[in-house]
Amino acid sequence: MDRFIQQAIAQVVSAQWEPHFHRHSYGFRPERSAHQAVREIQKQVRDSYRWVVDMDLEAFFDRVNHDRLMNRLQRHVPDRALLRLINTYLKAGVRIDTLTVPTTQGVPQGGPLSPVLANVVLDELDWELERRGHRFARYADDCNIVVKSRRAGERLMLSLTHWIDKTLRLTVNERKSAVDRPWNRKFLGFTLSRGDARLKVSEPSLAKLKNRIRDLTRRTRGRRLIDIIAELRIALLGWKAYFGIAEVLSPLREIDKWIRRRLRCYQWKQWGSAGYRELRKRGVTVREAWNTSKSAHGPWRPSKTPALNLALPAKTFSNMGLPSLCVTR
C-alpha cells in the first residue's frame, strides 16, 4: 500500500515539476532516457569539448537534506496536505532487525517517490550549471559536465564541490570523481572511443555481463543445452535492449565468440564418454575426433579445437535461439 501511495504522489509531483526541470536532466522523466543523456555527451565531445568533469555524489540518497527538499518542493506543489504526507514518508524511519531508526536525512531508497525527489533536489544543480554556461547531461545523481581543457575542468570541479557542499549540503566523492578524457571514464554504462567518439560499452559493464554468462553456463548445472540457451537468450536480449546503441562492436564480437566457446565446453562436458561418437556424427574426421576425445585436458581446452568448432558451429547456436550481441539489426 505504501508503494501504491508513493507512486500516486510521484505522478502528481512529477506533473507539477516537469515544466520546470532543465532540458538536460534525463533521469526518470517522461520521454527521456539514459540513451539521450549518453548521446548528449557524445555530441558535445564531438563538438570539441574533449574533457569531462565526472562528478559522483557520496551516498546521495542517504544524505538529502529534508528541510531544503521540502522548501524546494513547495515552489511547485501547492497542496499542503500532500507536502505533509511527503514529509511523513521522509521521516518515517527505517527498520533494522526489530529496531526502528529515525531518518533525519535522505529519501526512501527503492521507493517510487525517490527518483522524483532526487530530480527536485538536483534541479538546483542543473540551473546553476546553466547559469555558468556549462554543457552537461544528468541522469539522477550521475552527472557529466564537458569542458575544453583540463585546467577549466579542475577549476570547475573545485568550485562545484564547494557549491554543492554549501548550497545543497551534499558531498562530492573525491575518490570516484575526476577530471579526465571522456574515453577514460564511464557514463551510464558507456564510454567513448578515442578520436571519433563512438559509443562503446564500458569495461565494467562488459565484466558484469561476463559474470552473468559464467553463472548461466556453469558446466555443473546439468541441464540440456537448449535450456541453457533459452536462459541466455532472455539475459542477452535484455542486455542488448540497453547496450544495443553501442557503435564499437569489436568487444561484442569477442564476447559472442567466448559465449559460443562456453557452450561448446558445456556440451562437451555433457557428452562425456560419448564425445567421439557425437563428433563423428557431426562430420568430424576420425583423426580429429580421436585426438579431441582422448585429450588429457579438461573440457575448456577442447572447446577451442577445430573438431568442436566443426561439430558445433555458430549457426547451430543461432538456430537454437542464441542471439548475437554484435548484430545491430
Side-chain angles (χ1 to χ4, degrees), residues 248-266:
V248 178
L249 300 181
S250 52
L252 304 186
R253 291 192 189 97
E254 291 304 311
I255 290 185
D256 276 344
K257 294 177 184 177
W258 178 74
I259 291 172
R260 291 194 294 269
R261 184 178 178 187
R262 287 196 65 88
L263 292 175
R264 291 183 185 110
C265 179
Y266 185 90

Side-chain angles (χ1 to χ4, degrees), residues 46-58:
R46 286 177 167 174
D47 197 23
S48 301
Y49 288 79
R50 310 286 284 184
W51 290 87
V52 64
V53 180
D54 186 359
M55 300 201 72
D56 181 88
L57 298 178
E58 189 169 341

